[in-house]
Amino acid sequence: MARNSKSNPKTGAGTLRPLGDADLAPQASRLEGRKLLPVAFRPEANRPNEADGAPLSRFGARFRDVFSVEHGIAPEDVDLGILRQVEALNADDDRNMAALGAIQIKRTEHGTLRQVRLVVNTPLLFPWLLNGRALRRMGGELRGGAARLVTAAEDHPGLALPVMRVDSAETVVEIVSAQRRLLGLANYTSAEGVKKDRIDSIVQFGVLDPPDVVLTHLVSGDDSAWVAQAAEGAQRLFSALLAMDVIANRTVGNIATDRWLRADPSRLRDMTPEDLRVLPEALKFPSTAANAYFPGNDVEGWVKTIAATTPAAVAFQLLRTMEINLIISVNPDPVVTAGLRNPVSDTIQELIRGYHMPGKSKEQWKGADVLGLIAIGAIDELETDDRVRTEERSEWLGETLAEWNGPAMTSDGLPGNLLSTVTKLLATITAQGALPATVKSATKADSLEIVNHHLRLNSTRVHSDDRAKVAAAQAIAALGLHGSGWEGTLQAALFGTFRHPWFWKTSEHPGAVTWPSLLSTPLDELADQARAERATNASADDPEQSGPAQRAIAALGGVALMTNPGLIANREALSRTGLGAGGQVTQVSATDPSLLLRKMAQFEAGIDELQDAVAALITTAQPTIPIDREEKVDLTDFYLRKRWLGDDRTAPDNPQTEFARLVQVLVDAIAKNSQDAEVLRTILPGTLLGLTQPDEDTTEDEGYAPDLWGDPVYEEIGINETVVDEILPVIQSLVDFFQVGKAYARAASRAAR
């Protein structure tokens, strides 16, 4: 929320559209049948104390009976942490008791899930820590902190539920916060249009579609805690929590973490009877504006007076509880999940894919996020199979960022610089035999088959093009280039390189050595080997006779020319579409970079340029722009294409490539201008006037001016209606163009399977 004058604090009604518009305001009638006060924890009389010193509540005892039957265990063997967690969630005793008598079944391709429709306290819910929509970007978001990325769940040893291993309670808090930021739901003012519309709808009606929530065991060393994670529905959960924050003028959505996980950030623990006793009062949010939105003893009178005249009170009551489908047991199909390490967790992931993956989805994730999910799954499995080391995994997921400057390989056998790290990642996901099995590997299958398995698992075609898309998407994470203006261009260039058989089809390359195995060779040695291979080839012009060193230096040099920070800053880096040719693509060939790189590898001068491109990144304290040894000019996209592919570009050599180039030019132009719109959305009047914003605690008497540093100009004056009426049809036309094009692409992909 934008900062405002301390003497005139902004209320939720002044920010959330439904609370300021009489036609949209939530009606008191929507509160009919809802509990308007938190449920107090009342241990049932005549029951024995549990191990934590208090009896179960009536609901807790009934839940234990149902849960024990579902899992085929004795009631006394049900983990007490599960029971205390559901007692904390409970927001309507009567409805939830009735729901326990009507277990529901949800079916997926991997098995069934048994669930109960409960009314719960919204702030006690967590998002799924493995959220596929944000997982690819999560490593970079957490970089520099103590929290490590969680990428997979295991099966509980005694229950049909998942387990997630985390570093600490603080890790959970950091991941939740990072997810909320990555999903664009940390701030109402800066939320995108569609997200803001969802928030407004939830404020007006509450969460109408119950999310699927899974009881999940978090484990950290010897500590553990049971939590309820929304495996599907994180956007609805975060939207509701964000709206609660706005209405209360305080951060109220983290009541669970403040009262529980943050009590001792170094360790996890289950809820205790004492937590449950203080929870009802905490859920009234004392010392916030929300405290006024709860009735006293006369509930009916409150509804007729306060609720009828105060939309914020109605909205807060609609937000603070929601219906969920609480999954209490998972039953994998033994045939479909045969061979899977964690069939319970995989069945839950299949449930999630059913909502968001092509061919199954209600609301698809962004393509790059799906590709990242495939990459992360394959990387995790390769690490489990002893082919990827923990340090490499961390860098490939973007948790840590390697330096450009460094050797090809360190003394302990790891890639020694960012270029080697990223190129090995690209090779691992795209090339045959890139990571041979070790003596500790559980499977001796080609590492590419492991990648293919995760493509199939996520309903993606098994093809060199699709593997290259996966590799390129994950390389962006390893390079830390999320959200950069060059992200799409770089991703397309990497895809256009490593999709080609000259790189990926190592089984048909000459010799027994593969080029991925040479990526750790010192640069001078690798260049000399490439020159020797070039000299011994029967025909220097036949790229298919290229040896592994030629291909390895082409891969390293190509990635270097695409990722060099100086070339990117000048918009001259090697691209797929000739974009780095400085707008002169009509004078040079705009073919895939793979064709340029294999051409360069056939000539000594080309090998020199590839070597120099690598050296400019890894041998100096800071990356420099590579220069041609003879011509003394920068090795830009335009220069290289003109030199190696000819001066004139008469006709496209491939209509698909030419069309992709033109689309990419359009996308880059739109992306560049959309960044200006994001700046205009939040810019303050004082910033437009070139003034320096005062410190956060400055008062009006000390010089704080609400008219300069309060609301963004966008919120104060909006955009002229005539301008909007002119541009919206243009934007809608672009939306139609891309949506229809996306549908054609999916149809083509399905036809190629």
Side-chain angles (χ1 to χ4, degrees):
M1 292 170 56
R3 182 186 174 198
N4 289 270
S5 168
K6 295 175 177 60
S7 60
N8 182 30
K10 176 177 285 188
T11 64
T15 304
L16 297 168
R17 191 160 58 101
L19 303 188
D21 187 331
D23 293 332
L24 300 177
Q27 301 300 308
S29 59
R30 300 199 64 82
L31 299 180
E32 184 178 354
R34 299 179 77 102
K35 297 290 185 183
L36 303 181
L37 290 168
V39 174
F41 172 60
R42 294 190 178 90
E44 193 171 11
N46 301 321
R47 278 194 174 273
N49 285 346
E50 300 297 327
D52 57 10
L56 296 176
S57 65
R58 185 172 69 109
F59 174 71
R62 175 62 180 142
F63 184 90
R64 179 170 64 180
D65 292 339
V66 172
F67 188 90
S68 65
V69 171
E70 289 296 319
H71 289 266
I73 60 177
E76 58 270 19
D77 291 335
V78 177
D79 194 318
L80 187 56
I82 295 176
L83 304 178
R84 296 308 187 194
Q85 175 60 219
V86 297
E87 287 178 325
L89 288 170
N90 180 27
D92 191 327
D93 246 352
D94 296 335
R95 288 181 62 183
N96 291 345
M97 286 290 288
L100 289 174
I103 302 294
Q104 300 176 355
I105 298 176
K106 181 163 288 186
R107 301 184 185 280
T108 74
E109 293 178 13
H110 281 194
T112 60
L113 304 101
R114 308 273 290 181
Q115 62 188 31
V116 184
R117 178 70 61 84
L118 300 181
V119 180
V120 302
N121 295 305
T122 304
L124 270 295
L125 297 175
F126 286 80
W128 191 242
L129 297 187
L130 313 180
N131 190 313
R133 196 189 297 270
L135 198 59
R136 183 178 71 105
R137 296 165 286 161
M138 188 70 72
E141 190 69 21
L142 297 175
R143 188 185 303 135
R148 310 299 286 177
L149 185 62
V150 179
T151 60
E154 305 169 3
D155 289 357
H156 191 281
L159 301 173
L161 289 171
V163 175
M164 292 184 187
R165 299 192 180 277
V166 298
D167 292 336
S168 65
E170 190 64 28
T171 297
V172 180
V173 175
E174 288 299 319
I175 290 176
V176 172
S177 298
Q179 276 196 29
R180 189 162 166 177
R181 293 192 300 271
L182 289 172
L183 294 179
L185 291 168
N187 185 290
Y188 179 78
T189 300
S190 60
E192 297 175 4
V194 174
K195 296 181 187 296
K196 190 169 289 186
D197 289 343
R198 181 188 287 112
I199 296 168
D200 288 340
S201 174
I202 287 175
V203 169
Q204 189 177 4
F205 301 108
V207 175
L208 299 179
D209 190 10
D212 296 326
V213 176
V214 185
L215 286 170
T216 306
H217 202 207
L218 301 182
V219 177
S220 175
D222 294 331
D223 299 326
S224 66
W226 284 95
V227 299
Q229 293 190 37
E232 186 280 323
Q235 298 245 23
R236 278 166 279 159
L237 172 61
F238 282 139
S239 296
L241 294 176
L242 175 55
M244 290 176 69
D245 291 347
V246 175
I247 296 173
N249 268 331
R250 290 278 296 278
T251 301
V252 299
N254 62 355
I255 183 69
T257 54
D258 274 350
R259 293 275 177 174
W260 174 29
L261 291 180
R262 287 192 189 274
D264 185 354
S266 65
R267 62 181 297 263
L268 290 168
R269 67 173 180 84
D270 285 313
M271 283 196 163
T272 66
E274 183 57 31
D275 293 322
L276 298 177
R277 290 188 185 97
V278 301
L279 189 59
E281 186 60 29
L283 288 171
K284 292 181 183 178
F285 312 102
S287 304
T288 75
N291 194 42
Y293 302 145
F294 290 86
N297 294 329
D298 185 4
V299 175
E300 186 177 347
W302 181 88
V303 172
K304 291 180 178 179
T305 54
I306 303 299
T309 58
T310 312
V314 179
F316 199 83
Q317 286 289 346
L318 293 175
L319 295 165
R320 72 174 189 84
T321 66
M322 71 167 72
E323 276 192 334
I324 66 168
N325 298 318
L326 183 67
I327 295 170
I328 61 174
S329 69
V330 180
N331 302 303
D333 184 302
V335 176
V336 177
T337 60
L340 295 179
R341 289 189 179 92
N342 297 290
V344 168
S345 299
D346 283 319
T347 301
I348 295 171
Q349 288 299 120
E350 178 60 26
L351 166 74
I352 298 170
R353 284 192 290 269
Y355 285 105
H356 302 291
M357 291 297 183
K360 305 178 180 182
S361 68
K362 295 179 181 178
E363 179 187 355
Q364 286 194 12
W365 288 327
K366 291 181 179 178
D369 291 336
V370 175
L371 299 174
L373 196 64
I374 296 168
I376 291 169
I379 292 168
D380 277 350
E381 185 167 345
L382 289 167
E383 184 196 27
T384 302
D385 205 44
D386 195 47
R387 306 194 200 200
V388 172
R389 290 171 57 180
T390 302
E391 298 87 345
E392 287 179 303
R393 173 186 178 276
S394 181
E395 290 178 339
W396 290 358
L397 300 189
E399 290 180 325
T400 55
L401 192 62
E403 299 290 339
W404 286 112
N405 181 24
M409 184 175 67
T410 63
S411 58
D412 55 356
L414 291 167
N417 57 66
L418 183 57
L419 178 62
S420 297
T421 296
V422 171
T423 309
K424 184 175 180 181
L425 165 64
L426 291 161
T428 295
I429 297 178
T430 61
Q432 294 173 328
L435 290 182
T438 70
V439 293
K440 296 181 181 179
S441 296
T443 174
K444 305 305 178 184
D446 190 322
S447 54
L448 207 61
E449 280 305 309
I450 294 176
V451 178
N452 290 339
H453 166 70
H454 285 271
L455 287 168
R456 296 186 192 97
L457 200 60
N458 291 279
S459 303
T460 302
R461 179 183 60 163
V462 176
H463 191 276
S464 58
D465 281 8
D466 298 272
R467 289 192 295 267
K469 290 176 185 176
V470 170
Q474 194 58 33
I476 297 299
L479 289 161
L481 290 177
H482 288 306
S484 66
W486 201 254
E487 176 182 350
T489 304
L490 175 57
Q491 200 166 320
L494 293 171
F495 160 73
T497 300
F498 292 95
R499 66 195 282 261
H500 201 282
W502 196 75
F503 282 111
W504 80 262
K505 210 163 189 178
T506 61
S507 62
E508 297 184 4
H509 297 169
V513 178
T514 63
W515 69 263
S517 67
L518 298 179
L519 293 177
S520 59
T521 306
L523 178 59
D524 290 344
E525 292 182 24
L526 182 63
D528 288 343
Q529 290 181 32
R531 294 186 188 99
E533 289 174 353
R534 182 260 167 195
T536 58
N537 283 341
S539 171
D541 293 330
D542 183 5
E544 301 310 321
Q545 295 301 313
S546 300
Q550 287 175 283
R551 297 174 204 259
I553 200 165
L556 286 166
V559 175
L561 290 166
M562 296 171 196
T563 60
N564 186 291
L567 291 174
I568 290 176
N570 296 336
R571 299 184 67 80
E572 294 176 335
L574 181 61
S575 69
R576 184 187 182 196
T577 59
L579 182 66
Q584 303 176 77
V585 291
T586 56
Q587 300 178 35
V588 295
S589 175
T591 55
D592 277 348
S594 57
L595 302 181
L596 169 66
L597 295 172
R598 68 177 187 164
K599 181 83 170 180
M600 293 173 70
Q602 310 315 308
F603 297 91
E604 189 137 347
I607 294 173
D608 290 344
E609 289 177 338
L610 292 167
Q611 180 182 5
D612 293 343
V614 175
L617 283 180
I618 71 171
T619 62
T620 57
Q622 295 294 329
T624 60
I625 294 178
I627 299 174
D628 183 84
R629 298 182 185 184
E630 297 179 1
E631 300 291 334
K632 305 302 180 186
V633 297
D634 295 348
L635 298 181
T636 64
D637 195 0
F638 178 68
Y639 171 78
L640 292 170
R641 288 179 183 277
K642 183 177 180 181
R643 176 172 185 181
W644 295 106
L645 300 177
D647 291 348
D648 298 321
R649 180 179 177 278
T650 54
D653 60 347
N654 184 308
Q656 286 88 354
T657 299
E658 174 63 7
F659 182 78
R661 183 188 73 80
L662 294 173
V663 170
Q664 189 64 47
V665 170
L666 173 62
V667 169
D668 290 333
I670 295 171
K672 182 179 179 182
N673 287 284
S674 69
Q675 293 171 7
D676 295 337
E678 288 305 311
V679 173
L680 292 172
R681 185 191 298 274
T682 57
I683 198 164
L684 301 175
T687 304
L688 284 171
L689 296 177
L691 304 177
T692 301
Q693 186 169 2
D695 294 336
E696 187 71 24
D697 297 328
T698 304
T699 64
E700 288 189 43
D701 293 339
E702 295 170 338
Y704 171 73
D707 56 332
L708 294 178
W709 308 109
D711 293 326
V713 180
Y714 173 73
E715 295 184 14
E716 291 288 344
I717 67 172
I719 303 175
N720 182 278
E721 291 186 21
T722 302
V723 173
V724 174
D725 291 342
E726 289 176 355
I727 195 61
L728 281 182
V730 177
I731 294 174
Q732 186 57 52
S733 176
L734 285 170
V735 171
D736 292 342
F737 172 76
F738 285 108
Q739 291 283 16
V740 174
K742 186 177 180 181
Y744 284 141
R746 285 184 187 144
S749 178
R750 285 194 294 270
R753 288 177 188 169

